[in-house]
Amino acid sequence: IVVLGLNRSHAKNALSKNLVKMMSKAVDALKSDKKVRTVVFRSEVPGIFCAGADLKERAKMHSSEVSSFVSRARATINELANLPVPTIAAIDGTALGGGLELALACDIRVAASSAKMGLVETKLAIIPGAGGTQRLPRTIGVSLAKELIFSARIVDGEEAKSIGLISHVVEQNEAGDAAYRRALALAREFLPQGPVAMRVAKLAINQGMEVDLVTGLAIEEACYAQTIPTKDRIEGLLAFKEKRPPRYKGE
């Protein structure tokens, strides 16, 4: 399990040029690391997940710079969405704008009941630019996504759970890391499974969601085929026969 922690406390983890660059580097390193089985995104700053774009920095940018920065942020968040292993966002505090877009790019979101989430860009006369207009409707449905984006509404953990924005809501603890602990528990549930199977399962689901069912089933068949020649598949059958836990190597 790899934990990526955002820690730009003086600026509420706002996405500056530098933070986006560092995130991009970190995600890049994870892409090719075969030892990585699950990635958990969290914040090291109490009460804040990520406040979105750094508006102080943004105010100093020329309009031409803004569009290249937003493109870079979008690309970085796409890289995160395309990581081959399961990703979990642990939202223990506020996740607004780009911060929520970051969480939406993860496979699973877990939040504290006290956490605040919203795509608030329309308040600033702009729109979500790092995937929010696409991932939010795919997550909670078109009509609700439009309502949240049009109103720039902020929801708490309980409401986020009821609309399907997050998978789990937990009461915040004294340490302020309840969502992170729940995310780790979830990540541990993923660890015993076959690594190759996990990667191709994610691929099959992600690609299948963008196409019709017939094409999706063909994608599933192609992904299944990748597991057949693996040593892990034979090990799984052997472990079942010998009534012992499997020892998967990702081969």
Side-chain angles (χ1 to χ4, degrees), residues 50-197:
C50 169
D54 186 334
L55 298 180
K56 285 179 184 163
E57 183 183 79
R58 176 76 54 94
K60 295 176 191 147
M61 284 183 193
H62 188 269
S63 54
S64 61
E65 277 183 281
V66 173
S67 102
S68 74
F69 170 76
V70 173
S71 291
R72 248 198 323 279
R74 185 186 301 117
T76 301
I77 286 175
N78 278 343
E79 301 265 287
L80 158 62
N82 293 327
L83 277 175
V85 295
T87 52
I88 307 169
I91 308 168
D92 271 306
T94 305
L96 300 178
L100 183 54
E101 289 178 300
L102 178 65
L104 281 165
C106 293
D107 297 317
I108 296 159
R109 284 159 296 289
V110 179
S113 52
S114 57
K116 302 277 184 266
M117 290 155 266
L119 292 179
V120 295
E121 285 85 350
T122 51
K123 268 195 173 146
L124 294 164
I126 53 173
I127 70 168
T133 64
Q134 303 307 305
R135 291 195 179 96
L136 188 64
R138 282 167 167 80
T139 304
I140 65 170
V142 174
S143 194
L144 257 178
K146 284 177 177 170
E147 185 180 325
L148 290 191
I149 290 170
F150 294 166
S151 63
R153 188 180 307 141
I154 294 171
V155 299
D156 64 14
E158 296 294 347
E159 194 180 346
K161 171 77 170 83
S162 74
I163 61 176
L165 178 56
I166 61 174
S167 303
H168 303 278
V169 60
V170 285
E171 278 301 315
Q172 191 53 285
N173 58 22
E174 273 183 40
D177 65 353
Y180 172 57
R181 284 167 191 249
R182 184 68 182 87
L184 279 183
L186 201 53
R188 289 189 196 104
E189 283 185 54
F190 300 165
L191 283 184
Q193 296 14 302
V196 177

Side-chain angles (χ1 to χ4, degrees), residues 4-8 13-31 39 41-42 49-50 52 69 72-81 83 98-99 101-103 105-106 130:
L4 283 186
L6 296 171
N7 193 350
R8 192 171 174 244
N13 286 342
L15 299 169
S16 60
K17 283 181 185 173
N18 195 38
L19 186 56
V20 169
K21 200 156 126 192
M22 284 162 70
M23 268 172 48
S24 180
K25 263 196 181 132
V27 170
D28 223 31
L30 293 174
K31 248 192 307 201
V39 178
F41 264 86
R42 70 168 300 200
F49 177 73
C50 169
F69 170 76
R72 248 198 323 279
R74 185 186 301 117
T76 301
I77 286 175
N78 278 343
E79 301 265 287
L80 158 62
L83 277 175
E101 289 178 300
L102 178 65
C106 293

